[in-house]
Amino acid sequence: MKTLKVGIIGCGNIFPMHAASVMERDDAKLVAVCDVKKDRADEKAEQLDTKAYYDYEEMMDTEQLDVVHICLPHYLHAPATAAATKRQIHVMTEKPMAINYDDAKAMIDGAKENGVTLGVIFQNRYNPGSQLIKNMLTSGELGAVKAGKLQVTWDRSDEYYQNSDWKGTWDKEGGGVIIDQAIHTMDLMRWFVDSELKYVDASISNRAHEIIEVEDAAEGVIAYENGVVTAFHAINYYTYDAPVEIELHCEKGVAKMVADKATVTLNDGRTFIADNNPLETFTYDSGVKGYWGVSHVKQINNYYDVLQGKTDALDIPAEEALKTQQMINAVYQSGKDKQRVHF
Ligand SMILES: NC(=O)c1ccc[n+]([C@@H]2O[C@H](COP(=O)([O-])OP(=O)(O)OC[C@H]3O[C@@H](n4cnc5c(N)ncnc54)[C@H](O)[C@@H]3O)[C@@H](O)[C@H]2O)c1
Protein backbone atom coordinates (compact mmCIF):
# COMPACT_ATOMS: atom_id res chain seq x y z
CA MET A 1 0.00 0.00 0.00
CA LYS A 2 1.41 3.36 -1.04
CA THR A 3 1.26 6.33 1.32
CA LEU A 4 -0.42 9.05 -0.71
CA LYS A 5 1.08 12.55 -0.61
CA VAL A 6 -1.70 15.05 -0.01
CA GLY A 7 -1.98 18.83 -0.24
CA ILE A 8 -4.90 21.04 0.72
CA ILE A 9 -5.63 24.29 -1.11
CA GLY A 10 -7.53 26.89 0.89
CA CYS A 11 -7.04 27.25 4.66
CA GLY A 12 -10.39 28.83 5.53
CA ASN A 13 -13.52 27.64 7.36
CA ILE A 14 -13.80 24.17 5.86
CA PHE A 15 -10.08 23.35 5.96
CA PRO A 16 -10.16 21.45 9.31
CA MET A 17 -12.73 18.93 8.07
CA HIS A 18 -10.36 17.91 5.28
CA ALA A 19 -7.09 18.13 7.19
CA ALA A 20 -8.27 16.00 10.11
CA SER A 21 -9.91 13.46 7.79
CA VAL A 22 -6.63 13.01 5.87
CA MET A 23 -4.55 12.83 9.03
CA GLU A 24 -6.80 10.09 10.38
CA ARG A 25 -5.65 7.75 7.62
CA ASP A 26 -2.51 5.71 7.85
CA ASP A 27 -2.22 5.47 4.06
CA ALA A 28 -2.12 9.23 3.39
CA LYS A 29 0.15 12.02 4.56
CA LEU A 30 -0.62 15.72 4.55
CA VAL A 31 2.64 17.06 3.10
CA ALA A 32 1.59 20.65 2.35
CA VAL A 33 -1.11 23.28 2.65
CA CYS A 34 -1.65 26.34 0.52
CA ASP A 35 -3.40 29.68 0.83
CA VAL A 36 -2.82 33.02 -0.89
CA LYS A 37 -3.24 34.53 2.56
CA LYS A 38 0.20 33.70 3.89
CA ASP A 39 -0.72 33.98 7.54
CA ARG A 40 -3.45 31.35 7.11
CA ALA A 41 -1.15 28.89 5.33
CA ASP A 42 1.68 29.48 7.81
CA GLU A 43 -0.60 28.99 10.81
CA LYS A 44 -2.08 25.71 9.54
CA ALA A 45 1.34 24.42 8.45
CA GLU A 46 2.82 25.11 11.83
CA GLN A 47 -0.17 23.65 13.66
CA LEU A 48 -0.10 20.46 11.59
CA ASP A 49 3.67 20.18 11.19
CA THR A 50 3.60 20.42 7.42
CA LYS A 51 4.80 22.82 4.70
CA ALA A 52 3.13 26.07 3.67
CA TYR A 53 2.71 27.30 0.09
CA TYR A 54 1.08 30.44 -1.27
CA ASP A 55 0.75 29.29 -4.89
CA TYR A 56 -1.02 26.00 -5.55
CA GLU A 57 0.77 25.20 -8.81
CA GLU A 58 4.10 25.59 -7.07
CA MET A 59 2.88 23.27 -4.32
CA MET A 60 1.77 20.66 -6.85
CA ASP A 61 5.08 20.75 -8.74
CA THR A 62 7.39 20.87 -5.74
CA GLU A 63 5.66 18.25 -3.63
CA GLN A 64 4.79 15.79 -6.42
CA LEU A 65 1.38 15.35 -4.84
CA ASP A 66 -0.86 12.33 -5.35
CA VAL A 67 -4.01 14.08 -4.09
CA VAL A 68 -5.22 17.64 -3.57
CA HIS A 69 -8.23 18.77 -1.62
CA ILE A 70 -9.81 21.96 -2.92
CA CYS A 71 -11.31 24.18 -0.22
CA LEU A 72 -11.39 27.34 -2.30
CA PRO A 73 -13.97 29.95 -3.33
CA HIS A 74 -16.39 28.43 -5.84
CA TYR A 75 -14.99 30.06 -9.00
CA LEU A 76 -11.56 28.55 -8.32
CA HIS A 77 -12.71 24.92 -8.08
CA ALA A 78 -12.54 24.41 -11.85
CA PRO A 79 -9.11 26.03 -12.55
CA ALA A 80 -7.51 24.39 -9.51
CA THR A 81 -8.95 21.02 -10.56
CA ALA A 82 -7.60 21.51 -14.11
CA ALA A 83 -4.16 22.38 -12.74
CA ALA A 84 -4.19 19.19 -10.69
CA THR A 85 -5.65 16.75 -13.19
CA LYS A 86 -3.22 17.76 -15.95
CA ARG A 87 -0.46 16.81 -13.49
CA GLN A 88 -2.20 13.46 -12.85
CA ILE A 89 -3.11 14.48 -9.31
CA HIS A 90 -6.36 13.13 -7.83
CA VAL A 91 -8.85 15.79 -6.68
CA MET A 92 -11.33 15.96 -3.82
CA THR A 93 -13.18 19.26 -4.06
CA GLU A 94 -15.74 20.94 -1.87
CA LYS A 95 -19.26 21.59 -3.12
CA PRO A 96 -20.39 23.06 -5.44
CA MET A 97 -18.25 21.53 -8.19
CA ALA A 98 -18.05 24.88 -9.96
CA ILE A 99 -20.11 27.94 -10.67
CA ASN A 100 -21.52 26.66 -13.96
CA TYR A 101 -22.28 23.41 -15.73
CA ASP A 102 -19.60 23.70 -18.44
CA ASP A 103 -16.81 24.20 -15.91
CA ALA A 104 -18.09 21.27 -13.87
CA LYS A 105 -18.30 19.05 -16.96
CA ALA A 106 -14.75 20.05 -17.94
CA MET A 107 -13.57 18.94 -14.48
CA ILE A 108 -14.98 15.46 -15.08
CA ASP A 109 -13.52 15.30 -18.59
CA GLY A 110 -10.10 16.43 -17.33
CA ALA A 111 -10.09 13.80 -14.60
CA LYS A 112 -11.06 11.06 -17.08
CA GLU A 113 -8.48 12.11 -19.68
CA ASN A 114 -5.74 12.02 -17.07
CA GLY A 115 -6.84 8.85 -15.32
CA VAL A 116 -7.44 10.45 -11.93
CA THR A 117 -10.36 10.29 -9.52
CA LEU A 118 -12.50 13.35 -8.87
CA GLY A 119 -14.57 13.48 -5.70
CA VAL A 120 -17.05 16.20 -4.73
CA ILE A 121 -18.18 16.70 -1.14
CA PHE A 122 -21.88 16.21 -0.43
CA GLN A 123 -21.38 14.91 3.08
CA ASN A 124 -25.02 15.10 4.16
CA ARG A 125 -25.78 12.02 2.12
CA TYR A 126 -23.92 10.11 4.85
CA ASN A 127 -26.08 11.39 7.72
CA PRO A 128 -28.02 8.53 9.38
CA GLY A 129 -31.33 10.30 8.64
CA SER A 130 -30.49 10.64 4.94
CA GLN A 131 -29.39 7.01 4.84
CA LEU A 132 -32.62 5.81 6.48
CA ILE A 133 -34.81 7.55 3.91
CA LYS A 134 -32.66 6.47 0.97
CA ASN A 135 -32.56 2.85 2.16
CA MET A 136 -36.33 2.72 2.66
CA LEU A 137 -36.85 4.12 -0.81
CA THR A 138 -34.37 1.74 -2.41
CA SER A 139 -35.82 -1.30 -0.62
CA GLY A 140 -39.34 -0.36 -1.72
CA GLU A 141 -40.64 -0.06 1.86
CA LEU A 142 -41.76 3.53 1.19
CA GLY A 143 -43.05 2.77 -2.30
CA ALA A 144 -42.62 5.26 -5.11
CA VAL A 145 -42.18 8.95 -4.34
CA LYS A 146 -45.32 10.90 -5.23
CA ALA A 147 -44.12 14.44 -4.34
CA GLY A 148 -41.60 16.27 -2.18
CA LYS A 149 -40.99 19.64 -0.59
CA LEU A 150 -38.03 21.22 1.14
CA GLN A 151 -37.33 24.36 3.09
CA VAL A 152 -34.05 26.04 4.04
CA THR A 153 -34.32 29.20 6.18
CA TRP A 154 -30.89 30.22 7.39
CA ASP A 155 -29.07 33.31 8.58
CA ARG A 156 -26.27 34.80 6.50
CA SER A 157 -25.95 38.31 7.85
CA ASP A 158 -24.50 41.42 6.21
CA GLU A 159 -21.52 40.87 8.48
CA TYR A 160 -21.03 37.36 7.08
CA TYR A 161 -20.85 38.82 3.58
CA GLN A 162 -18.71 41.78 4.65
CA ASN A 163 -16.15 39.37 6.08
CA SER A 164 -15.70 37.53 2.79
CA ASP A 165 -13.97 38.77 -0.36
CA TRP A 166 -15.88 36.33 -2.58
CA LYS A 167 -19.28 35.56 -1.08
CA GLY A 168 -22.26 37.50 -2.35
CA THR A 169 -20.86 37.87 -5.89
CA TRP A 170 -22.01 36.24 -9.12
CA ASP A 171 -18.51 35.84 -10.52
CA LYS A 172 -16.86 34.30 -7.45
CA GLU A 173 -19.61 32.58 -5.43
CA GLY A 174 -21.82 31.95 -8.46
CA GLY A 175 -25.02 32.77 -6.57
CA GLY A 176 -26.24 32.97 -3.00
CA VAL A 177 -28.57 30.86 -0.93
CA ILE A 178 -29.05 28.21 -3.62
CA ILE A 179 -25.47 27.48 -4.67
CA ASP A 180 -24.01 27.83 -1.20
CA GLN A 181 -26.54 26.84 1.44
CA ALA A 182 -29.60 25.09 -0.03
CA ILE A 183 -27.48 23.01 -2.42
CA HIS A 184 -27.05 20.29 0.22
CA THR A 185 -30.79 19.88 0.80
CA MET A 186 -31.57 20.11 -2.91
CA ASP A 187 -28.96 17.46 -3.61
CA LEU A 188 -30.57 15.17 -1.00
CA MET A 189 -34.00 15.63 -2.56
CA ARG A 190 -32.64 14.84 -6.05
CA TRP A 191 -30.88 11.76 -4.66
CA PHE A 192 -34.09 10.58 -2.96
CA VAL A 193 -36.26 11.06 -6.03
CA ASP A 194 -33.59 9.35 -8.12
CA SER A 195 -34.79 10.29 -11.58
CA GLU A 196 -33.49 12.44 -14.42
CA LEU A 197 -34.38 16.13 -14.37
CA LYS A 198 -37.32 17.10 -16.59
CA TYR A 199 -37.71 20.82 -15.92
CA VAL A 200 -36.96 23.54 -13.40
CA ASP A 201 -39.28 26.49 -12.87
CA ALA A 202 -37.98 28.94 -10.29
CA SER A 203 -37.82 32.50 -9.13
CA ILE A 204 -34.85 34.13 -7.43
CA SER A 205 -34.58 37.51 -5.76
CA ASN A 206 -32.68 39.61 -3.30
CA ARG A 207 -35.14 40.59 -0.62
CA ALA A 208 -33.23 41.56 2.49
CA HIS A 209 -29.52 42.05 1.84
CA GLU A 210 -28.28 45.39 0.61
CA ILE A 211 -24.62 44.57 0.14
CA ILE A 212 -24.76 41.50 -2.10
CA GLU A 213 -25.52 41.04 -5.80
CA VAL A 214 -26.79 37.47 -5.55
CA GLU A 215 -30.12 36.00 -4.46
CA ASP A 216 -31.01 35.61 -0.82
CA ALA A 217 -34.39 34.05 -1.65
CA ALA A 218 -35.48 31.42 -4.13
CA GLU A 219 -38.46 29.18 -4.64
CA GLY A 220 -39.74 26.93 -7.33
CA VAL A 221 -40.22 23.40 -8.54
CA ILE A 222 -37.87 20.69 -9.74
CA ALA A 223 -39.73 18.22 -11.94
CA TYR A 224 -38.37 14.78 -12.78
CA GLU A 225 -38.77 12.34 -15.65
CA ASN A 226 -40.61 9.87 -13.38
CA GLY A 227 -43.43 12.42 -12.98
CA VAL A 228 -42.49 13.61 -9.49
CA VAL A 229 -42.69 17.35 -8.89
CA THR A 230 -40.84 18.72 -5.86
CA ALA A 231 -41.12 22.19 -4.36
CA PHE A 232 -38.33 24.16 -2.72
CA HIS A 233 -38.12 27.37 -0.72
CA ALA A 234 -34.82 28.82 0.46
CA ILE A 235 -33.89 32.08 2.15
CA ASN A 236 -30.78 33.17 4.04
CA TYR A 237 -32.15 36.32 5.68
CA TYR A 238 -33.75 34.51 8.61
CA THR A 239 -32.55 35.28 12.13
CA TYR A 240 -30.92 31.89 12.80
CA ASP A 241 -30.16 28.67 10.98
CA ALA A 242 -33.52 26.98 11.45
CA PRO A 243 -33.48 23.20 10.97
CA VAL A 244 -33.84 22.36 7.28
CA GLU A 245 -36.98 20.43 6.42
CA ILE A 246 -37.57 17.82 3.77
CA GLU A 247 -40.77 15.88 3.26
CA LEU A 248 -41.44 13.11 0.80
CA HIS A 249 -44.96 11.89 0.21
CA CYS A 250 -44.62 8.30 -0.93
CA GLU A 251 -47.04 5.54 -1.91
CA LYS A 252 -46.55 3.67 1.36
CA GLY A 253 -45.87 6.49 3.79
CA VAL A 254 -44.34 9.86 4.51
CA ALA A 255 -40.63 10.54 5.15
CA LYS A 256 -39.69 13.71 6.99
CA MET A 257 -36.32 15.13 7.82
CA VAL A 258 -35.91 18.02 10.26
CA ALA A 259 -32.25 19.03 10.56
CA ASP A 260 -30.51 15.65 10.37
CA LYS A 261 -33.28 13.66 12.04
CA ALA A 262 -35.46 11.52 9.78
CA THR A 263 -38.85 10.13 10.73
CA VAL A 264 -40.53 7.70 8.39
CA THR A 265 -44.18 6.96 9.08
CA LEU A 266 -45.58 4.13 7.03
CA ASN A 267 -49.27 3.89 6.15
CA ASP A 268 -49.48 0.67 8.20
CA GLY A 269 -48.64 2.66 11.34
CA ARG A 270 -45.00 1.69 11.79
CA THR A 271 -42.52 4.51 12.46
CA PHE A 272 -38.76 4.54 11.88
CA ILE A 273 -36.44 7.22 13.21
CA ALA A 274 -32.77 7.94 12.57
CA ASP A 275 -30.63 10.79 13.84
CA ASN A 276 -26.97 11.57 14.30
CA ASN A 277 -25.40 9.40 16.97
CA PRO A 278 -24.04 11.75 19.66
CA LEU A 279 -21.51 9.08 20.65
CA GLU A 280 -20.11 9.01 17.12
CA THR A 281 -17.89 12.09 17.27
CA PHE A 282 -14.83 13.27 15.44
CA THR A 283 -12.57 16.14 16.38
CA TYR A 284 -11.72 18.10 13.27
CA ASP A 285 -9.64 20.87 14.76
CA SER A 286 -6.94 20.46 17.36
CA GLY A 287 -8.07 21.98 20.60
CA VAL A 288 -11.68 22.22 19.45
CA LYS A 289 -13.72 19.42 20.95
CA GLY A 290 -17.26 18.91 19.95
CA TYR A 291 -19.67 17.38 17.54
CA TRP A 292 -19.05 18.64 14.03
CA GLY A 293 -20.67 15.70 12.37
CA VAL A 294 -18.86 12.65 11.09
CA SER A 295 -20.01 12.82 7.53
CA HIS A 296 -17.02 14.63 5.98
CA VAL A 297 -14.68 12.01 7.36
CA LYS A 298 -16.94 9.23 6.06
CA GLN A 299 -17.01 10.61 2.53
CA ILE A 300 -13.28 11.31 2.53
CA ASN A 301 -12.60 7.77 3.80
CA ASN A 302 -14.63 6.32 0.93
CA TYR A 303 -12.60 8.49 -1.49
CA TYR A 304 -9.26 7.21 -0.14
CA ASP A 305 -10.53 3.62 -0.07
CA VAL A 306 -11.19 3.96 -3.80
CA LEU A 307 -7.74 5.46 -4.46
CA GLN A 308 -6.15 2.62 -2.49
CA GLY A 309 -8.17 -0.06 -4.28
CA LYS A 310 -9.93 -1.07 -1.04
CA THR A 311 -13.34 -0.46 -2.55
CA ASP A 312 -14.53 -0.30 -6.13
CA ALA A 313 -16.44 2.93 -6.54
CA LEU A 314 -17.11 6.30 -5.01
CA ASP A 315 -20.38 6.41 -3.09
CA ILE A 316 -20.91 9.84 -4.68
CA PRO A 317 -19.44 9.85 -8.20
CA ALA A 318 -18.56 13.22 -9.71
CA GLU A 319 -21.31 12.61 -12.28
CA GLU A 320 -23.83 12.80 -9.42
CA ALA A 321 -22.43 16.16 -8.35
CA LEU A 322 -22.66 17.30 -11.97
CA LYS A 323 -26.40 16.58 -12.03
CA THR A 324 -26.86 18.68 -8.92
CA GLN A 325 -24.77 21.43 -10.55
CA GLN A 326 -27.04 21.27 -13.59
CA MET A 327 -30.11 21.53 -11.35
CA ILE A 328 -28.94 24.57 -9.43
CA ASN A 329 -27.71 26.35 -12.55
CA ALA A 330 -31.16 25.75 -14.05
CA VAL A 331 -32.68 27.46 -10.99
CA TYR A 332 -30.53 30.51 -11.80
CA GLN A 333 -31.34 30.42 -15.49
CA SER A 334 -35.05 30.03 -14.84
CA GLY A 335 -35.01 32.77 -12.22
CA LYS A 336 -33.10 35.23 -14.40
CA ASP A 337 -35.03 34.52 -17.61
CA LYS A 338 -38.35 34.11 -15.78
CA GLN A 339 -38.93 30.98 -17.83
CA ARG A 340 -39.15 27.26 -17.29
CA VAL A 341 -35.91 25.42 -18.14
CA HIS A 342 -36.43 22.05 -19.86
CA PHE A 343 -33.78 19.34 -20.00
N1 LIG B 1 -19.55 20.92 2.83
C1 LIG B 1 -19.89 21.89 3.66
O1 LIG B 1 -20.74 21.74 4.54
C2 LIG B 1 -19.19 23.21 3.54
C3 LIG B 1 -19.20 24.14 4.59
C4 LIG B 1 -18.49 25.34 4.43
C5 LIG B 1 -17.84 25.61 3.22
N2 LIG B 1 -17.90 24.69 2.21
C6 LIG B 1 -17.26 24.94 0.92
O2 LIG B 1 -15.84 25.00 1.11
C7 LIG B 1 -15.28 25.91 0.17
C8 LIG B 1 -14.49 26.97 0.92
O3 LIG B 1 -15.37 27.65 1.78
P1 LIG B 1 -14.83 28.36 3.09
O4 LIG B 1 -16.03 28.76 3.86
O5 LIG B 1 -13.79 27.53 3.73
O6 LIG B 1 -14.16 29.68 2.44
P2 LIG B 1 -13.08 30.64 3.07
O7 LIG B 1 -13.22 31.94 2.39
O8 LIG B 1 -13.16 30.57 4.57
O9 LIG B 1 -11.71 29.94 2.66
C9 LIG B 1 -11.22 29.96 1.34
C10 LIG B 1 -9.73 30.13 1.41
O10 LIG B 1 -9.17 30.06 0.09
C11 LIG B 1 -8.12 30.99 0.02
N3 LIG B 1 -7.81 31.30 -1.38
C12 LIG B 1 -8.47 32.12 -2.23
N4 LIG B 1 -7.89 32.12 -3.45
C13 LIG B 1 -6.83 31.26 -3.37
C14 LIG B 1 -5.87 30.79 -4.29
N5 LIG B 1 -5.84 31.21 -5.56
N6 LIG B 1 -4.94 29.92 -3.87
C15 LIG B 1 -4.92 29.49 -2.58
N7 LIG B 1 -5.82 29.89 -1.65
C16 LIG B 1 -6.77 30.75 -2.05
C17 LIG B 1 -8.62 32.18 0.80
O11 LIG B 1 -7.57 33.04 1.17
C18 LIG B 1 -9.32 31.51 1.96
O12 LIG B 1 -8.46 31.33 3.07
C19 LIG B 1 -16.46 26.46 -0.63
O13 LIG B 1 -16.61 25.70 -1.79
C20 LIG B 1 -17.64 26.27 0.29
O14 LIG B 1 -18.88 26.17 -0.37
C21 LIG B 1 -18.53 23.50 2.36
Side-chain angles (χ1 to χ4, degrees):
M1 183 181 67
K2 182 185 173 191
T3 298
L4 298 167
K5 289 197 278 179
V6 183
I8 303 180
I9 316 171
C11 300
N13 297 315
I14 205 65
F15 172 92
M17 321 291 266
H18 290 257
S21 301
V22 171
M23 293 177 87
E24 184 75 358
R25 296 211 44 121
D26 56 12
D27 55 3
K29 182 167 170 47
L30 182 64
V31 296
V33 299
C34 171
D35 201 297
V36 282
K37 292 185 177 149
K38 292 188 174 190
D39 54 332
R40 288 192 180 183
D42 289 343
E43 186 199 321
K44 295 298 182 196
E46 194 187 333
Q47 188 187 330
L48 302 173
D49 193 21
T50 189
K51 281 174 74 176
Y53 286 85
Y54 319 113
D55 176 323
Y56 62 71
E57 299 206 64
E58 191 191 333
M59 174 175 80
M60 290 172 189
D61 290 334
T62 312
E63 297 296 336
Q64 309 255 303
L65 298 176
D66 298 301
V67 188
V68 285
H69 289 238
I70 296 178
C71 301
L72 290 168
H74 300 165
Y75 74 109
L76 293 172
H77 293 186
T81 297
T85 55
K86 76 177 186 198
R87 291 170 169 85
Q88 275 89 47
I89 299 172
H90 301 287
V91 174
M92 169 53 94
T93 183
E94 265 297 341
K95 49 53 71 170
M97 283 184 86
I99 60 173
N100 61 57
Y101 176 82
D102 290 345
D103 283 359
K105 176 77 170 57
M107 290 162 72
I108 291 185
D109 294 344
K112 278 203 183 118
E113 280 157 23
N114 291 288
V116 293
T117 301
L118 173 63
V120 183
I121 292 283
F122 275 110
Q123 82 274 11
N124 289 343
R125 289 193 183 194
Y126 286 86
N127 296 344
S130 310
Q131 293 277 324
L132 173 72
I133 294 176
K134 183 67 179 176
N135 289 339
M136 291 189 73
L137 286 166
T138 307
S139 68
E141 284 167 286
L142 264 166
V145 178
K146 292 165 79 168
K149 59 177 179 155
L150 71 87
Q151 173 147 274
V152 178
T153 50
W154 282 1
D155 173 21
R156 293 296 178 270
S157 62
D158 282 350
E159 193 185 7
Y160 165 91
Y161 284 111
Q162 265 153 1
N163 287 337
S164 174
D165 51 14
W166 61 277
K167 293 200 168 179
T169 64
W170 285 112
D171 61 338
K172 294 190 169 71
E173 190 177 18
V177 65
I178 290 295
I179 200 167
D180 208 321
Q181 288 92 43
I183 187 171
H184 287 292
T185 319
M186 295 179 70
D187 174 70
L188 286 180
M189 180 67 94
R190 196 187 62 72
W191 184 50
F192 292 150
V193 175
D194 196 19
S195 175
E196 295 304 315
L197 297 165
K198 187 173 182 192
Y199 69 81
V200 169
D201 202 334
S203 68
I204 58 170
S205 53
N206 184 322
R207 299 252 171 86
H209 285 88
E210 298 205 343
I211 62 161
I212 60 172
E213 340 178 304
V214 296
E215 90 290 353
D216 62 10
E219 64 76 35
V221 301
I222 313 287
Y224 295 87
E225 285 294 344
N226 63 1
V228 174
V229 175
T230 63
F232 69 91
H233 174 236
I235 60 168
N236 69 5
Y237 54 82
Y238 202 47
T239 41
Y240 80 113
D241 290 348
V244 300
E245 293 177 26
I246 299 181
E247 181 175 294
L248 288 166
H249 179 209
C250 305
E251 277 175 346
K252 298 182 188 170
V254 173
K256 280 190 190 197
M257 189 135 68
V258 179
D260 295 338
K261 180 179 177 181
T263 305
V264 175
T265 309
L266 296 181
N267 296 343
D268 64 14
R270 286 178 297 152
T271 298
F272 300 81
I273 294 174
D275 200 354
N276 294 330
N277 178 357
L279 299 177
E280 195 185 16
T281 59
F282 189 77
T283 302
Y284 285 105
D285 211 348
S286 65
V288 182
K289 289 271 173 207
Y291 187 83
W292 281 43
V294 289
S295 296
H296 259 91
V297 69
K298 284 183 181 168
Q299 185 173 351
I300 290 169
N301 267 331
N302 168 254
Y303 179 75
Y304 279 89
D305 284 347
V306 169
L307 296 188
Q308 294 287 14
K310 292 178 180 168
T311 190
D312 285 344
L314 293 178
D315 294 330
I316 308 175
E319 287 76 9
E320 267 292 285
L322 182 66
K323 287 182 186 173
T324 293
Q325 184 80 40
Q326 191 174 27
M327 174 175 69
I328 60 164
N329 286 121
V331 169
Y332 288 122
Q333 193 188 331
S334 177
K336 286 175 182 168
D337 297 348
K338 301 193 189 320
Q339 276 183 7
R340 184 172 285 191
V341 174
H342 292 273
F343 294 92

